[in-house]
Amino acid sequence: MHAAVRAPAVAGTFYPGDPATLRDAVDAFVGAGPADPRVPKALVVPHAGYVYSGPIAGSAYATLRPARGRIRRVVLLGPAHRVPVRGLAIPEAEVLATPLGELRVDERLRELVPWVPRNALAHAYEHSLEVQLPFVLRVLGPDVTVAPFVVGDASADDVARVLSALWGGDETVILISTDLSHYLPYEVARRVDRDTAARIVAHDVALEGERACGARALAGLALVAQARELEVVPLDLRTSGDTAGARDEVVGYGAFAYYEPDHHAPIVGQTSSERLTSIARAAIEVALGVPGAKLAPPRVEEAWLRAPGAVFVTLRDRETGELHGCTGSLEARRTLYEDVCENAVAAALRDPRAPAIDARDAPSLVVEVSELSPLERVYTRSREALLDLLVPFEHGWVLSWRGRRGTFLPQVWQSIPEPRMFLSELERKAGLAPGFWAPDLEIYRYRVTSHAEPHPDRPSPVPSRPRS
């Protein structure tokens, strides 16, 4: 069975259709790469014809060059120009073709955002997404996957929900495709675009569509970036009058990089996923007395490890996937570094479902650290109403009633994908009868960023009750 392919719609018009010419053009726009070793979590990039906006896009994509081989997924959002779209839409296609080769659509996309509908027509002719693909291929390589969204009349919350579901770790970068002002005289456009750039840097969620055609996607990113305290750095701000067009009516283009706080965005070398799992492994090996094991404190520049954090640590057998332990914290009561260390040791030595491991077992373990967002209290009037809120793979859930408490991480949806069964098993885990309901039942949900060592493709086990 052949994979469905989206063919290029604007090759030869917005950008060169000849592969060699296109390759040379993209490489020239990107240049040698940035001096700043930080890699951004998100970029804002323009989407006009390359002769007009290619140099500005290149200044943004250059920041990703140090992360080639590390970034494995690109979440790409662009505005609908040709087909009306309600909310957001993902493609029917499994493969995105370009003159430079193909990129695969993330195979888990429908699973991760099941509420977003598919719309082949909206994607078929949408240039705001297509013009980014040659840059992605040349800068990040053909092995990355793409999660593409056409954004229609979506609210900022709609976009933020999608971005949060796909935020991931260092393996994921977010791209927002937008141009700025349209068809203003040159000096007016420059003044308007400077003001728009200042509002983007300030995480303004109320940008008007006439200032940026991708204003809805920008607003959603602003919500998430503000909550996560991302720093926005302007990279380039020009118009078509600066690149290849006349100046009586111009289109504005901007490039912006979003960096995670305290340089949490990875510096070339060890990623934050590798750092967290290495801390967990070192804590376990020190506790087990593995010869030569050392646990170093956070480095001076690693302020993110000294910030409050809550994690679960899961240990599995490298060959069989069998659970060896899973413990965690639901709330941030100590630093992220301390919470990783404490829960790693607890998972190795104090999970009652599995025998305690010893130093000989350490090499056979695969470590996964799940970093939790703050708990969000959920208020609902009935169990049936709660079932309507359960979206597979989106949240972890907590039930708490009179001293009884249980949680399932979002990874548990992999083994219990049906909401009614998921809730029944969570009730059982919390020490409640299946079907239980009480007016004073407390319900919480949270999101997870998963950091895992490489391991065979095995189902995720059901985690144990958190220890505090």
Side-chain angles (χ1 to χ4, degrees):
M1 184 175 181
H2 297 292
V5 178
R6 181 206 178 271
V10 295
T13 54
F14 275 68
Y15 58 87
D18 174 68
T21 305
L22 176 58
R23 181 190 63 238
D24 292 345
V26 171
D27 290 352
F29 292 141
V30 174
D36 190 338
R38 295 183 299 169
V39 175
K41 179 61 185 180
L43 290 173
V44 171
V45 289
H47 56 235
Y50 281 14
V51 66
Y52 299 108
S53 68
I56 297 86
S59 67
Y61 282 103
T63 65
L64 301 181
R65 290 185 66 150
R68 184 184 177 102
R70 183 191 310 135
I71 291 176
R72 300 188 298 277
R73 179 175 65 181
V74 174
V75 179
L76 173 59
L77 285 76
H81 285 86
R82 301 177 184 275
V83 176
V85 173
R86 174 82 48 113
L88 298 92
I90 60 175
E92 292 275 4
E94 302 167 74
V95 174
L96 308 175
T98 82
L100 298 181
E102 296 179 340
L103 287 164
R104 296 199 65 83
V105 173
D106 186 344
E107 62 183 11
R108 295 188 62 207
L109 183 57
R110 297 174 192 175
E111 171 188 308
L112 294 171
V113 288
W115 66 90
V116 178
R118 290 173 284 174
N119 188 329
L121 186 59
H123 281 264
Y125 302 104
E126 185 48 62
H127 68 274
S128 68
L129 304 182
E130 181 181 327
V131 299
Q132 311 303 335
L133 302 181
F135 281 98
V136 171
L137 267 167
R138 289 300 295 168
V139 174
L140 297 177
D143 294 331
V144 297
T145 62
V146 181
F149 295 82
V150 172
V151 182
D153 64 356
S155 68
D157 287 333
D158 292 335
V159 174
R161 182 185 183 193
V162 165
L163 292 179
S164 296
L166 296 170
W167 195 260
D170 304 332
E171 83 293 339
T172 299
V173 67
I174 312 293
L175 300 180
I176 303 296
S177 176
T178 185
D179 293 337
L180 300 181
S181 64
H182 282 61
Y183 310 123
L184 298 176
Y186 179 81
E187 293 299 337
V188 176
R190 292 282 291 171
R191 184 170 63 252
V192 170
D193 290 343
R194 282 195 295 268
D195 181 67
T196 299
R199 292 172 65 178
I200 290 173
V201 170
H203 303 309
D204 191 336
V205 300
L207 277 177
E208 303 86 357
E210 57 266 25
R211 285 179 172 267
C213 54
R216 293 178 182 270
L218 281 171
L221 177 59
L223 281 180
V224 180
Q226 188 174 40
R228 292 176 174 265
E229 300 181 338
L230 268 63
E231 173 195 5
V232 186
V233 176
L235 302 173
D236 203 345
L237 190 65
R238 286 186 264 177
T239 75
S240 56
D242 298 308
T243 51
R247 294 193 170 188
D248 52 343
E249 289 186 340
V250 301
V251 177
Y253 313 116
F256 302 83
Y258 290 64
Y259 293 98
E260 293 183 287
D262 295 317
H263 298 183
H264 192 174
I267 293 176
V268 179
Q270 192 176 47
T271 68
S272 60
S273 289
E274 292 167 343
R275 183 71 172 115
L276 290 175
T277 54
S278 69
I279 291 168
R281 178 171 289 282
I284 292 168
E285 292 179 349
V286 168
L288 296 177
V290 173
K294 294 181 180 179
L295 180 60
R299 298 186 291 270
V300 172
E301 67 271 19
E302 293 180 312
W304 60 280
L305 284 175
R306 297 189 292 275
V311 303
F312 271 72
V313 177
T314 304
L315 307 178
R316 303 185 186 93
D317 184 272
R318 186 174 300 277
E319 298 299 325
T320 68
E322 179 184 359
L323 178 68
H324 274 286
C326 180
T327 61
S329 306
L330 286 171
E331 297 176 272
R333 302 184 185 277
R334 50 197 167 201
T335 69
L336 178 60
Y337 174 86
E338 292 167 340
D339 208 56
V340 171
C341 293
E342 175 63 27
N343 286 310
V345 174
L349 301 179
R350 298 194 292 273
D351 190 325
R353 296 172 300 170
I357 63 175
D358 60 30
R360 294 169 298 178
D361 299 314
S364 67
L365 297 177
V366 171
V367 177
E368 179 181 10
V369 177
S370 297
E371 192 176 355
L372 275 62
S373 70
L375 296 182
E376 175 191 358
R377 181 76 182 268
V378 175
Y379 296 91
T380 186
R381 295 182 177 181
S382 68
R383 188 175 186 272
E384 288 301 313
L386 173 58
L387 280 168
D388 290 339
L389 296 175
L390 298 182
V391 179
F393 305 100
E394 185 176 356
H395 291 100
W397 289 86
V398 181
L399 298 181
S400 180
W401 184 73
R402 299 184 182 181
R404 304 179 186 183
R405 184 171 70 168
T407 187
F408 277 163
L409 297 174
Q411 292 94 317
V412 177
W413 286 107
Q414 296 177 31
S415 54
I416 313 176
E418 199 281 313
R420 193 171 296 275
M421 181 64 70
F422 181 95
L423 181 56
S424 294
E425 291 300 317
L426 178 54
E427 290 163 341
R428 193 189 315 276
K429 184 166 183 285
L432 307 172
F436 175 86
W437 184 258
D440 57 343
L441 176 67
E442 294 181 13
I443 305 165
Y444 302 88
R445 64 186 179 186
Y446 56 90
R447 299 184 187 274
V448 158
T449 300
S450 179
H451 310 276
E453 294 178 325
H455 63 283
D457 187 17
R458 301 286 183 182
S460 295
V462 177
S464 68
R465 183 172 300 182
R467 289 177 166 80
S468 57

